[in-house]
Amino acid sequence: MDSAAGTTAAPLRIGLLGTGPWARNTQAPALAAHPGVELSGVWGRRAEAADALATAHGTRAYTGEEGIDALLEASDAVAFALPPDVQAPLAVRAARAGRHILMDKPVATTVEGARAIADAVAEAGVASIVFCTLRFAPETAAWIAEQTALGGWFTARAQWLGSLYAEGSTSEYADSPWRREKGGLWDVGPHALSVLIPVLGDVEHLTAAPGPADTTHLILRHSSGASSTVTLGLSAPRGAAGVEIEFRGEHGTASAPGWDGAETAFRGAVDALAETVRTGVPHACDARFGRHLTELLVAAETQARV
């Protein structure tokens, strides 16, 4: 209750753009179950997919160009579960319509696309969040804050290896064309960078080299003076897959804890968006950060392809 007004704050109306596995498994369930949110609708390029997901969560389906405008009209904010270069122009469109935006990472795969989003958000004065899982999962978010406050780090190591494209994999996420084209650098790279940058500072120098299959290796020099190494890929054998992030410094070694899945983390991102809407204070993981991630990934991809 609002003690001054004596009324309960209205829920934040959030529409969902996208109907694929990520939308079905993470975003739609998290939005529909969130006590401070009204899932105002689901838009999809395929009407049958939009109908099925909307029906499953008791909301309205939208499709087509006119459906995007209708969903924006029915919403205070929109969440995206779309390929990055489909997401980018729609995020600009939503921001220009005065809607807050909750984007998936990466926000775009071109600097121009990412810059257009950040500019539109700034010009419209809307709130923005980029969903990098470890920044919003309660366990890892608290751990990142602790390591940032502690300081004194000398170096760090991040390894994020998936087995999405390993022999015998049956993951439905492997059917994503953009993920297959761009590989682990773009899919899981934002997660690793979103942990390293707040703790060690901005990346001042980057070196990238290709590894086996879609694997990419990075060496980063940070503004704090610390360095880090990063290994990213989606094609590791199943026995080699896993996530490890470790800092080493004056106080010893700190290793990232596990976390309770993407849906819980996404609820944290929704909370962060609502807090930014309420206070007007930008979150560190906003459209500007999304633009910077894209800048770093473009630089790494360019080097690794040489």
Side-chain angles (χ1 to χ4, degrees):
M1 294 285 287
D2 183 326
S3 59
T7 58
T8 302
L12 188 66
R13 299 175 303 159
I14 302 182
L16 176 59
L17 292 158
T19 58
W22 194 236
R24 294 196 308 270
N25 298 335
T26 299
Q27 290 162 310
L31 290 168
H34 196 292
V37 167
E38 174 191 334
L39 178 56
S40 51
V42 174
W43 177 88
R45 288 173 284 188
R46 294 185 301 110
E48 61 273 22
D51 287 339
L53 190 56
T55 298
H57 295 286
T59 191
R60 181 177 175 182
Y62 297 85
T63 194
E65 280 294 309
E66 69 285 354
I68 296 172
D69 292 328
L71 180 58
L72 291 177
E73 181 65 28
S75 306
D76 304 308
V78 286
F80 294 87
L82 295 168
D85 292 327
V86 177
Q87 169 179 253
L90 291 178
V92 170
R93 182 170 169 179
R96 288 176 175 168
R99 301 305 181 259
H100 311 294
I101 55 176
L102 175 47
M103 296 173 285
D104 201 11
K105 55 75 209 162
V107 299
T109 65
T110 67
V111 172
E112 295 77 14
R115 183 180 297 130
I117 298 169
D119 289 348
V121 165
E123 290 164 7
V126 296
S128 63
I129 293 289
V130 180
F131 180 46
C132 294
T133 304
L134 302 193
R135 291 291 287 273
F136 298 102
E139 304 89 344
T140 49
W143 180 80
I144 292 167
E146 289 169 5
Q147 309 324 309
T148 303
L150 189 60
W153 299 111
F154 183 71
T155 191
R157 176 182 62 88
Q159 183 167 278
W160 197 303
L161 291 173
S163 57
L164 203 62
Y165 302 122
E167 184 177 353
S169 171
T170 59
S171 172
E172 58 185 337
Y173 296 104
D175 295 331
S176 164
W178 84 264
R179 190 174 278 110
R180 184 173 289 276
E181 176 190 354
K182 304 300 281 187
L185 174 67
W186 284 90
D187 188 30
V188 297
H191 292 313
L193 291 169
S194 76
V195 176
L196 296 171
I197 289 173
V199 178
L200 302 181
D202 201 6
V203 176
E204 295 187 333
H205 186 268
L206 177 153
T207 302
D214 75 309
T215 305
T216 303
H217 300 284
L218 306 179
I219 302 173
L220 309 176
R221 179 76 172 182
H222 297 266
S223 58
S224 65
S227 63
S228 63
T229 60
V230 187
T231 298
L232 308 162
L234 298 176
S235 303
R238 280 182 287 180
V243 177
E244 297 178 4
I245 302 176
E246 177 186 85
F247 293 99
R248 289 178 175 267
E250 296 173 3
H251 307 285
T253 302
S255 298
W259 63 94
D260 185 26
E263 185 179 337
T264 299
F266 191 75
R267 287 199 296 268
V270 174
D271 291 339
L273 182 70
E275 180 69 6
T276 300
V277 170
R278 185 183 69 82
T279 65
V281 178
H283 192 277
C285 205
D286 64 359
R288 294 170 301 175
F289 185 69
R291 177 191 63 202
H292 187 47
L293 288 178
T294 294
E295 292 168 345
L296 293 171
L297 295 171
V298 167
E301 182 179 60
T302 301
Q303 285 195 33
R305 284 181 173 177
V306 172

